Amino acid sequence: MTIKKFQGKTKEEAIEKAKAELGENAVVMNIKEIKPKGVFQSLKKSTYEVTAAMEEKENYVDSGLALKNAQKMHETINMTADEPIKIPLVKEEPMDQAKAEQSAIEFLKRNAELLKNESSQKTTDDSERTERIEEKLENLQSILEKQYSENQEKAKEEQEFMKAAGSKKNENLAFIKVLYETLIDNEVNEKYVNQIMDELEKVNWNGNSVDYILSNVYQKMILKFGTPHGIDLSGKKPKILFFVGPTGVGKTTTIAKVASKLKVEQGKKVAFLTADTYRIAAAEQLRTYANILDTPLNIIYSPEELNQAVEKLEDFDVILVDTAGFSHKNVEQKEDIRRLIKSVDVKYDSEVYLVLSATTKYKDLIEISDVYKEISNYKIIFTKLDETTTYGSILNIKLYSNAEVSYITNGQNVPDDIEVFNSQKIVKRLLGGR
Ligand SMILES: Nc1nc2c(ncn2[C@@H]2O[C@H](COP(=O)(O)OP(=O)(O)OP(=O)(O)O)[C@@H](O)[C@H]2O)c(=O)[nH]1
Ligand SMILES: [Mg+2]
């Protein structure tokens, strides 16, 4: 299979280019509008980028059967993990365009009639009001028209795809389009989706089943995550673990969860240090957990105090250091954290955990991971997975930062809502499983 991108001033031009190079049967996988940037952006027009695919060797099968097979596969496949993957399928029936057109026109008319009636009832003397209603009417009309034409375009794209899939009778291509869309829907960055597709290209899947393609993608994605590890305390003691990250992501709560697991489940000697003296209640929050877990807590006010505090805790297995959350744009606080981490005496083993919320948007996560890379190497803990349904950012940041994802947390309950990162679970979710 060949997957390529084509740009054009219009969608049609980009599609034409794709067909000119890949042939009439090229399948449009995705159409992206590229908005102009820069000072004169309002004067420039958008351009379009089409991702198109073409299978090199024609491998004809019945397309209806292909989609049914794909559906069957989603219901039954079970790759080492415990539940079957369910991926939303493309519609089997092409949309009835005439019917869709008719109902959209009726909808437009009905709304226009309703507003016209409203305006004619309150006519004559209040002309200003009538004008306003007319203006509203026009606005609504244009919004509806826009929605209508967008729906039409979607229906057309869908039909084109069905036509191409049907005429080529290619179940694999239809299935790959579903995979592509599922990953995009889960907010995996397009760049990484294309990377996964490019890798798939190298696999000889011609003549192989959709099961083969899915397990291939699944395995590749698992490999991308690497093997995650929980905290390893097998080396020198005490091990110093710093928890850093933006404000409110769950650093303190995560420390309490980790401490409880290490202490209760592994019988380790755990101590707390906090360098978070920015917020009045910060140390108190950790003290509450320290009391519950019967764990010592020391407060340090400057990096210079760190080693003295650690010295007093030398017979502990692990020292968890809470830090003040800061905006990644705050240079001064960033420097404070950097100094704190760098101040650890070389005789101690230390590790930094960057705590990130799965609800933070991709662009910010990128900036945050860059800022912390300037401070230290780190492993990542993703919090608040219970507050989002799209897990794409976990893969995006893993691939962007190349840092290990160690733990995920999925709720406010201490100590239960934490687990060592399970790449199989996440990959299944990313591929549309539950
Ligand atoms: N839903 C959900 N909430 C969480 C999770 N982890 C932490 N929280 C909540 O997020 C809020 C902030 O948690 P903290 O642990 O105080 O966050 P922090 O990063 O220490 O915050 P600062 O010290 O102010 O930077 C609290 O209400 C926690 O209960 C999680 O996995 N899921
Ligand atoms: Mg905190």
Side-chain angles (χ1 to χ4, degrees), residues 85-262:
I85 290 188
K86 285 205 179 76
I87 295 179
L89 285 167
V90 284
K91 285 187 200 83
E92 234 177 285
E93 293 288 322
M95 191 181 282
D96 183 339
Q97 191 159 345
K99 215 168 143 193
E101 222 166 88
Q102 193 53 40
S103 73
I105 291 167
E106 273 166 18
F107 180 63
L108 266 174
K109 274 191 191 157
R110 259 201 320 275
N111 279 285
E113 281 302 315
L114 271 175
L115 275 184
K116 266 202 182 111
N117 286 343
E118 190 187 329
S119 66
S120 64
Q121 273 166 25
K122 297 166 191 161
T123 48
T124 55
D125 46 347
D126 197 349
S127 65
E128 200 191 319
R129 204 155 148 212
T130 311
E131 253 173 46
R132 256 190 287 132
I133 291 173
E134 271 168 6
E135 199 185 315
K136 251 177 153 180
L137 180 68
E138 265 172 33
N139 285 343
L140 179 69
Q141 184 96 8
S142 65
I143 290 169
L144 289 170
E145 269 164 0
K146 193 162 161 262
Q147 273 178 9
Y148 170 58
S149 73
E150 276 170 6
N151 284 343
Q152 287 292 93
E153 271 172 30
K154 258 200 139 160
K156 214 170 116 201
E157 276 167 26
E158 189 110 327
Q159 269 185 348
E160 262 173 25
F161 169 66
M162 293 308 295
K163 216 169 85 193
S167 67
K168 275 174 59 61
K169 297 191 162 90
N170 186 331
E171 76 172 308
N172 288 352
L173 217 45
F175 178 66
I176 285 170
K177 186 175 160 74
V178 176
L179 278 184
Y180 190 98
E181 286 173 351
T182 308
L183 290 170
I184 295 278
D185 265 2
N186 276 316
E187 292 179 15
V188 177
N189 188 275
E190 206 196 332
K191 183 169 118 192
Y192 300 124
V193 179
N194 285 328
Q195 214 178 70
I196 293 166
M197 293 295 145
D198 287 348
E199 285 168 23
L200 195 58
E201 209 181 321
K202 295 183 195 116
V203 176
N204 178 21
W205 50 266
N206 263 331
N208 276 307
S209 65
V210 285
D211 296 32
Y212 177 81
I213 298 172
L214 184 61
S215 18
N216 211 286
V217 172
Y218 176 81
Q219 306 283 1
K220 284 207 157 63
M221 287 174 69
I222 297 231
L223 283 177
K224 284 186 192 300
F225 275 116
T227 314
H229 306 279
I231 291 164
D232 176 16
L233 298 179
S234 59
K236 268 190 290 182
K237 69 175 207 179
K239 188 157 198 175
I240 306 170
L241 307 179
F242 292 94
F243 290 75
V244 299
T247 55
V249 288
K251 295 178 292 299
T252 308
T253 314
T254 303
I255 286 180
K257 290 173 184 174
V258 167
S260 169
K261 294 270 169 206
L262 292 176

Side-chain angles (χ1 to χ4, degrees), residues 248 250-253 276 279 282 285 322-325:
K251 295 178 292 299
T252 308
T253 314
D276 185 359
R279 272 194 310 116
Q285 186 190 357
D322 197 7
T323 63

Side-chain angles (χ1 to χ4, degrees), residues 163-398:
K163 216 169 85 193
S167 67
K168 275 174 59 61
K169 297 191 162 90
N170 186 331
E171 76 172 308
N172 288 352
L173 217 45
F175 178 66
I176 285 170
K177 186 175 160 74
V178 176
L179 278 184
Y180 190 98
E181 286 173 351
T182 308
L183 290 170
I184 295 278
D185 265 2
N186 276 316
E187 292 179 15
V188 177
N189 188 275
E190 206 196 332
K191 183 169 118 192
Y192 300 124
V193 179
N194 285 328
Q195 214 178 70
I196 293 166
M197 293 295 145
D198 287 348
E199 285 168 23
L200 195 58
E201 209 181 321
K202 295 183 195 116
V203 176
N204 178 21
W205 50 266
N206 263 331
N208 276 307
S209 65
V210 285
D211 296 32
Y212 177 81
I213 298 172
L214 184 61
S215 18
N216 211 286
V217 172
Y218 176 81
Q219 306 283 1
K220 284 207 157 63
M221 287 174 69
I222 297 231
L223 283 177
K224 284 186 192 300
F225 275 116
T227 314
H229 306 279
I231 291 164
D232 176 16
L233 298 179
S234 59
K236 268 190 290 182
K237 69 175 207 179
K239 188 157 198 175
I240 306 170
L241 307 179
F242 292 94
F243 290 75
V244 299
T247 55
V249 288
K251 295 178 292 299
T252 308
T253 314
T254 303
I255 286 180
K257 290 173 184 174
V258 167
S260 169
K261 294 270 169 206
L262 292 176
K263 193 170 166 142
V264 179
E265 288 173 16
Q266 296 181 32
K268 299 289 179 193
K269 278 189 87 180
V270 182
F272 291 142
L273 274 188
T274 180
D276 185 359
T277 50
Y278 282 87
R279 272 194 310 116
I280 294 170
E284 283 319 302
Q285 186 190 357
L286 193 59
R287 189 177 303 284
T288 309
Y289 291 122
N291 289 342
I292 297 169
L293 290 165
D294 191 19
T295 296
L297 164 69
N298 284 297
I299 302 174
I300 48 173
Y301 293 90
S302 71
E304 292 71 37
E305 293 173 31
L306 178 75
N307 289 314
Q308 292 164 14
V310 173
E311 244 169 61
K312 288 186 211 143
L313 299 165
E314 272 183 347
D315 63 329
F316 281 78
D317 295 303
V318 58
I319 300 170
L320 306 177
V321 187
D322 197 7
T323 63
F326 70 90
S327 153
H328 59 283
K329 294 185 208 147
N330 186 325
V331 181
E332 200 183 314
Q333 275 184 295
K334 170 184 152 190
E335 196 44 36
D336 285 349
I337 298 283
R338 205 183 65 81
R339 284 205 304 131
L340 178 75
I341 291 169
K342 297 291 170 218
S343 71
V344 180
D345 195 311
V346 285
K347 68 179 176 191
Y348 299 120
D349 273 354
S350 67
E351 252 175 9
V352 176
Y353 284 84
L354 173 61
V355 184
L356 295 172
S357 165
T359 62
T360 305
K361 59 175 192 278
Y362 175 61
K363 220 175 142 199
D364 291 330
L365 286 174
I366 292 282
E367 282 183 19
I368 295 164
S369 65
D370 279 345
V371 164
Y372 283 89
K373 266 273 144 78
E374 291 166 26
I375 296 177
S376 160
N377 279 335
Y378 51 75
K379 294 182 178 175
I380 298 174
I381 296 178
F382 264 103
T383 60
K384 309 196 183 184
L385 263 73
D386 55 309
E387 289 190 12
T388 178
T389 47
T390 48
Y391 294 169
S393 53
I394 302 179
L395 180 62
N396 295 338
I397 289 302
K398 161 70 208 166

Side-chain angles (χ1 to χ4, degrees), residues 36-45:
K37 287 191 180 131
V39 190
F40 299 112
Q41 55 174 314
S42 57
L43 303 175
K44 295 181 202 157
K45 284 192 174 146

